[in-house]
Amino acid sequence: MMRDLTTTLGLVDGHSHLRSTSLQSHSVVGSCLEEALLRMTAMSAVDLEDDAFVAACDLVSAGVTGVQVAFHTFQTPEGYLESLNAVIRGLRRSPIRALVVLMLTDQAEYLPLGASHPHFLPGFLEPGRGVKPQDFPDVVRQAMADNSDIAFGIGPVAPQWASDEMLEILGDLAHSGLRVHAHCLESRYQRDWAGDSLGRMQRFGLLGTSVSLAHCVWCSDEELDLIADSGTSLVACPESNRLLRSGQPRVQEWWKRGITAAIGMDSATDRVRPIQVASEVLPQTEALLALTLGGSTATGLPTDQDEVKWSDLSQGVVSSVRIGGQLVVDSGQLLLHEECEDARNRITDRMRQDAPDRAERQSVLSSIMADYLGYLDEVDRGS
């Protein structure tokens, strides 16, 4: 028997890294976020344009018409812009709406602030930090000048990985009208990694109605009150939180305080499942609200102009998608299907070619992982 079609607004992925391959396919698996962050340094490098294009197409095929993209690299300003432009070329090839958030770190990426560097960590884990905080405004201005058709935001990758100098510079950029997005309080360790994350964001003008924060699993009641009072939106990422054993955010508490809740896929898996992911932390009606109006509010993307028809909403089976009136998915198939599959095949070939070297890189990390996690526990107990 045919199910009745259900029509909704376009869905929003409120937090994405635009990866078309799962973390597991790069052997990024483990006990916690901190282990995953180390293992991400050993991921296979695939073509950024193809990667972004395929990831965006997969989102559209799942009913997602808008995406907030967290972009970051440790390269020099020139390398940062070159990589960014490759991602943007991939986005342009797809029909998706996007807000590209330019992010930066300058401290404590792999160890808590002030912790000594243990002897067992390999040298390649020392980040290059090619873009200095004082150079970042020029990078942002150049990106905007090169890509006038793209909506941009800015942010620290996470506040604990940003110095006061950087947060002050980001605050100045935010005052010019740019939206702000960041990871925040994602894991137990990150809660006390470098002081009061939300308090520092507030001090430098990085909370407010044009700000969204991803994860926020470890927010206290007082911190949720601060978020609510500031009008900041929060983006839950249930699937990646579950895979990395970070715990789950108290989304119902967000709603009780009047906090706008959105949902992020976080590029965690190969298969995009927005309805099912949102339903991990919310009943289906509220999950759909977070994926549509919540996502649009958190990102500023006008996805209310888009339409998704579902052959089975509860299972996330799409019948058709229109973005701004343009048909991009018809009878369950992306109109760019062949071009997308060609790009996916190139990515698959690259992953296969790099598999032996990737395994060797991950083996090096496996040999020191128990010492690394034990060291974090030791530092955590002493804090």
Side-chain angles (χ1 to χ4, degrees):
M1 178 182 294
M2 290 289 293
R3 293 181 172 88
D4 292 336
L5 294 178
T6 301
T7 303
T8 69
L9 303 176
L11 309 187
V12 176
D13 182 350
H15 181 72
S16 172
H17 295 275
L18 274 192
R19 285 190 299 266
S20 62
T21 51
S22 68
L23 294 178
Q24 187 171 12
S25 69
H26 292 266
S27 304
V28 179
V29 293
S31 57
C32 60
L33 169 69
E34 290 68 31
E35 176 168 350
L37 291 173
L38 247 63
R39 291 195 179 279
M40 285 178 189
T41 65
M43 291 172 67
S44 295
V46 301
D47 183 87
L48 292 176
E49 180 178 339
D50 278 346
D51 205 22
F53 172 60
V54 172
C57 287
D58 286 347
L59 288 171
V60 171
S61 297
V64 175
T65 65
V67 61
Q68 180 162 240
V69 181
F71 176 82
H72 170 246
T73 173
F74 288 118
Q75 297 178 74
T76 63
E78 295 76 16
Y80 190 105
L81 289 168
E82 182 179 347
S83 294
L84 171 66
N85 287 332
V87 169
I88 289 173
R89 287 195 300 273
L91 281 169
R92 285 198 186 104
R93 287 165 58 191
S94 83
I96 204 165
R97 301 181 188 274
L99 172 67
V100 180
V101 182
L102 307 179
M103 292 182 161
L104 200 63
T105 71
D106 71 340
Q107 68 174 25
E109 290 88 351
Y110 303 119
L111 293 168
L113 190 64
S116 60
H117 195 284
H119 67 87
F120 52 79
L121 284 183
F124 67 79
L125 288 178
E126 191 63 33
R129 297 181 190 150
V131 178
K132 302 296 190 291
Q134 61 269 25
D135 298 329
F136 194 56
D138 287 338
V139 170
V140 173
R141 284 190 284 268
Q142 188 64 54
M144 295 174 68
D146 291 343
N147 304 282
S148 59
D149 58 323
I150 298 293
F152 286 104
I154 48 95
V157 176
Q160 70 272 16
W161 301 328
S163 65
D164 284 358
E165 177 189 10
M166 180 192 294
L167 293 182
E168 182 175 13
I169 289 170
L170 291 170
D172 290 342
L173 286 169
H175 292 154
S176 71
L178 288 167
R179 299 187 72 90
V180 175
H181 182 61
H183 303 72
C184 193
L185 298 175
E186 184 173 354
S187 77
R188 177 177 65 84
Y189 286 124
Q190 302 295 319
R191 245 218 83 82
D192 301 310
W193 201 261
D196 180 6
S197 288
L198 285 168
R200 294 175 66 229
M201 293 282 281
Q202 181 188 41
R203 177 155 43 106
F204 292 105
L206 294 169
L207 296 181
T209 55
S210 294
V211 179
S212 62
L213 302 175
H215 299 290
C216 291
V217 173
W218 290 81
C219 283
S220 67
D221 288 343
E222 293 75 17
E223 288 165 332
L224 289 179
D225 289 339
L226 172 61
I227 289 166
D229 290 343
S230 69
T232 299
S233 299
L234 298 184
V235 183
C237 303
E239 192 162 39
S240 64
N241 291 156
R242 172 170 47 78
L243 293 173
L244 299 178
R245 305 177 188 177
S246 297
Q248 291 294 5
R250 298 179 294 152
V251 183
Q252 295 285 3
E253 288 295 321
W254 300 359
W255 282 50
K256 287 178 183 177
R257 288 170 165 79
I259 297 170
T260 295
I263 301 294
M265 302 301 105
D266 204 12
S267 303
T269 60
D270 288 321
R271 187 181 172 208
V272 181
R273 309 175 310 128
I275 301 295
Q276 293 90 330
V277 169
S279 297
E280 291 188 31
V281 290
L282 287 168
Q284 183 169 312
T285 300
E286 293 176 337
L288 191 58
L289 186 60
L291 282 165
T292 53
L293 296 179
S296 181
T297 300
T299 64
L301 293 168
T303 49
D304 58 340
Q305 300 175 21
D306 307 332
E307 177 189 89
V308 182
K309 290 187 176 180
W310 305 85
S311 55
D312 189 332
L313 178 61
S314 64
Q315 295 301 311
V317 182
V318 171
S319 174
S320 67
V321 177
R322 291 183 182 272
I323 298 181
Q326 178 186 0
L327 184 68
V328 297
V329 174
D330 188 22
S331 300
Q333 181 160 296
L334 183 77
L335 298 188
L336 290 170
H337 174 74
E338 290 186 6
E339 183 181 349
C340 179
E341 289 310 301
D342 285 345
R344 194 189 310 278
N345 288 337
R346 290 192 292 270
I347 292 167
T348 300
D349 288 344
R350 171 59 186 154
M351 292 288 290
R352 187 183 301 114
Q353 291 165 8
D354 190 51
D357 289 341
R358 182 174 65 245
E360 184 175 344
R361 295 191 298 270
Q362 290 291 359
S363 177
V364 171
L365 291 172
S366 294
S367 70
I368 57 94
M369 196 59 68
D371 287 336
Y372 172 66
L373 296 177
Y375 182 73
L376 292 185
D377 281 329
E378 181 182 330
V379 172
D380 189 55
R381 287 194 297 270
S383 62

